[in-house]
Amino acid sequence: MTIPNGLCLLRIGATPLLGYLILVGNYEASFGLFAAAGVTDMLDGYIARKFPSQQSVIGSFLDPMADKFLIATLFITLTIAELLPVPLTTLIVARDVCLVTAGFYIRYQSLPSPRTLSRYFDVTLPTAKLSPTFISKVNTAIQFSLVAFTLAAPVFGYVDHPYMKLLWYLTAVTTVSSGVSYMFSKNTYKFLKSRSPKNV
């Protein structure tokens, strides 16, 4: 357990509460909680880069998973609240489901024999490392910007502003582009050296 991984788990734990606050229409509290989640996201990345001892292979999976869980929850609940369009949310969730499925497949392929269920979910047995593409990082930043502006819209009174719709289209374009980049980039993941299990 490293500090960045602890912050990721904290962000994951706060995500259902954030979704609930949106569904009940408490946008002030949800915006504040989202801002706190954003701070933990920046903080865990800074700590991992600044202190090599805090880096972990597990973190390379956990951090993007936490982001995707947060983004998916925000987009779905904001769509239910009729603040985001259904097609955009469907596109984003579909892309993330594909990426998560690919992550599980990579885990299976990189796991040395015997491929048991307990070893598959053993977080102390890292077998692959993920590296996001540049356009994926841009897309994540734009998605976070969109949900931040959307959460703030009811609070500051600019729901349905034309600039918000422009941000919808920009998010859609970068979402598709990032999905394509993962399909064709050869550096998004790498298998680690296999380690023989101690008890087989």
Side-chain angles (χ1 to χ4, degrees), residues 64-82:
M65 287 292 182
D67 287 344
K68 293 188 188 322
F69 181 46
L70 177 61
I71 285 292
T73 300
L74 284 166
F75 270 91
I76 291 171
T77 53
L78 286 170
T79 301
I80 293 173
E82 299 183 346

Side-chain angles (χ1 to χ4, degrees), residues 110 112 125-128 190-196:
S110 62
L125 182 61
T127 57
K190 65 177 180 179
F191 290 174
L192 303 178
K193 292 183 179 179
S194 300
R195 295 182 301 178
S196 299

